[in-house]
Amino acid sequence: RGLMFREKLGPNEGMLFVFGTAAQQCMWMRNTVIPLSVAFIADDGSIVNIADMAPRDEASHCSQQPVRYALEMSKGWFAQRGLGPGSKVQGLPTPR
């Protein structure tokens, strides 16, 4: 369900998706009313790419290479912190 049907997020709240295997992952915004940015993150914690997503948009936003993680935050959250492709994310769960 992701962040579907949520009406607001706190300043540093979001959702981390952990996929069973590294692959091209895609996200969409069906039933999501908050504008979001999603960072696609490789096993080593490096951000591969970031996509901004509009509310209720069913277009797919996909990773540019295989990833195991996707982190959804409020739209612009990554840019406001100077994070982009190549930035490292720490504290991710260890893949099983």
Side-chain angles (χ1 to χ4, degrees), residues 2-3 15 27 30 32 39 41 57 62 64 70 88 93:
L3 295 173
M15 180 162 214
M27 311 298 280
R30 176 182 287 168
T32 306
I41 306 168
D57 184 7
C62 301
Q64 294 174 350
K88 292 281 189 163

Side-chain angles (χ1 to χ4, degrees), residues 18-21 42-44 68-69 92-96:
V18 181
F19 301 101
T21 183
D43 281 355
D44 69 355
R68 188 177 308 269
Y69 308 99
L92 295 169
T94 304
R96 294 179 187 199

Side-chain angles (χ1 to χ4, degrees), residues 4-42:
M4 290 192 306
F5 307 108
R6 296 243 351 220
E7 295 182 7
K8 63 182 179 175
L9 286 177
N12 290 308
E13 292 180 336
M15 180 162 214
L16 177 66
F17 294 83
V18 181
F19 301 101
T21 183
Q24 182 183 47
Q25 306 295 342
C26 297
M27 311 298 280
W28 61 346
M29 295 287 284
R30 176 182 287 168
N31 299 319
T32 306
V33 298
I34 306 166
L36 299 174
S37 295
V38 58
F40 295 101
I41 306 168

